[in-house]
Amino acid sequence: MNLFEQLFENNKTWATQKKAIDKNYFKDLSEGQNPDILYIGCSDSRVTAEDMMGVQPGQMFVHRNVANLVPNNDNNSASVIEYAIAHLKVKHIIVCGHYFCGGIKAAMQSKDLGILNPWLRNIRDVYRLHKEELNAIADETNRYKRLVELNVQEQCINIIKTAVWQKSFLSNHLPIVHGLVFDIHSGTLIDLNIDVQGIAQSIREIYDLGTNK
Ligand code: ZN
């Protein structure tokens, strides 16, 4: 049996196990979702959002793309954020990067990658913003890891530029935006402790959309 065929076998086993623990499991799930968390992570097959955090179906709204980006003009991530904040009323937004991210690595190289170029340019822009700090790191692996972290930070900042976040945060101080990194070498999830809310205050004069007026 190849992996594709195995998927259906795996699914049967999984559904049976869930129903054995709670016979109403899928009936309850079908009635709706009420997740507290929006997770924005990389599409990388090694970074399994729900698995690595022990989160069950219904607990976390998930968006994944190459290198966990929230580009300013991307309707896809913008729609996810709008829905998560305005309708699901999530309390936390996690942007989760990971060390040894192929998207970040690609953006550090002089290579034409076709349709990926404009997407990865968002990461090159992060590099440009933090060029001094990054170029001062002599070790290439450490520089690469730091760019993964700074990319998470800039995507967190892109979230706080949105009207939907500003409106919600000014009225009830939610959702809180967190920047995390998954260390693929050890399996550890690291909180970068980025003071996103402090950054929001410091850049408010530039990005304030007047949502409290
Ligand atoms: Zn990645």
Side-chain angles (χ1 to χ4, degrees):
M1 199 180 286
N2 62 36
L3 183 58
F4 178 73
E5 291 162 349
Q6 183 71 46
L7 299 180
F8 298 94
E9 293 301 317
N10 293 348
N11 169 256
K12 260 189 227 163
T13 310
W14 173 78
T16 307
Q17 283 169 349
K18 290 287 185 197
K19 283 186 278 191
I21 298 164
D22 176 3
K23 67 178 168 46
N24 292 321
Y25 188 77
F26 293 104
K27 185 178 164 291
D28 292 345
L29 267 192
S30 70
E31 279 163 14
Q33 59 170 335
N34 188 24
D36 277 344
I37 297 169
L38 163 61
Y39 170 95
I40 299 171
C42 185
S43 297
D44 193 304
S45 61
R46 300 165 297 177
V47 188
T48 55
E50 292 92 340
D51 249 25
M52 70 162 164
M53 293 191 273
V55 170
Q56 295 303 313
Q59 293 185 315
M60 192 164 80
F61 201 56
V62 173
H63 179 69
R64 292 171 68 176
N65 60 36
V66 172
N68 43 271
L69 298 182
V70 185
N72 287 315
N73 59 354
D74 173 41
N75 279 339
N76 190 349
S77 56
S79 303
V80 169
I81 290 166
E82 178 83 22
Y83 188 72
I85 297 177
H87 301 279
L88 296 173
K89 308 214 180 294
V90 296
K91 298 181 179 72
H92 302 272
I93 299 180
I94 292 171
V95 176
C96 185
H98 67 102
Y99 295 136
F100 305 100
C101 177
I104 303 287
K105 186 84 191 170
M108 287 176 77
Q109 290 164 356
S110 308
K111 210 171 178 185
D112 179 356
L113 291 168
I115 193 68
L116 271 167
N117 291 338
W119 189 258
L120 298 177
R121 199 174 299 138
N122 291 293
I123 304 165
R124 293 182 193 271
D125 287 342
V126 173
Y127 198 111
R128 179 171 52 81
L129 272 174
H130 299 276
K131 186 181 155 192
E132 248 172 67
E133 179 187 342
L134 288 163
N135 283 356
I137 304 170
D139 181 77
E140 201 190 332
T141 303
N142 288 339
R143 193 161 68 240
Y144 176 18
K145 288 172 84 171
R146 185 62 185 142
L147 181 56
V148 166
E149 296 170 359
L150 290 169
N151 179 53
V152 166
Q153 180 176 308
E154 291 302 325
Q155 305 317 313
C156 289
I157 292 170
N158 285 348
I159 292 170
I160 64 179
K161 292 174 189 170
T162 65
V164 68
W165 183 84
Q166 291 182 14
K167 198 174 177 179
S168 175
F169 197 77
L170 286 171
S171 73
N172 61 15
H173 292 278
L174 290 171
I176 300 163
V177 181
H178 310 267
L180 311 183
V181 163
F182 176 65
D183 180 9
I184 230 156
H185 265 213
S186 66
T188 313
L189 193 61
I190 302 161
D191 189 344
L192 295 173
N193 290 314
I194 299 166
D195 180 16
V196 180
Q197 284 58 232
I199 294 172
Q201 275 307 317
S202 70
I203 60 174
R204 198 166 158 199
E205 58 176 309
I206 303 169
Y207 295 104
D208 185 14
L209 297 171
T211 54
N212 58 334
K213 285 169 195 146

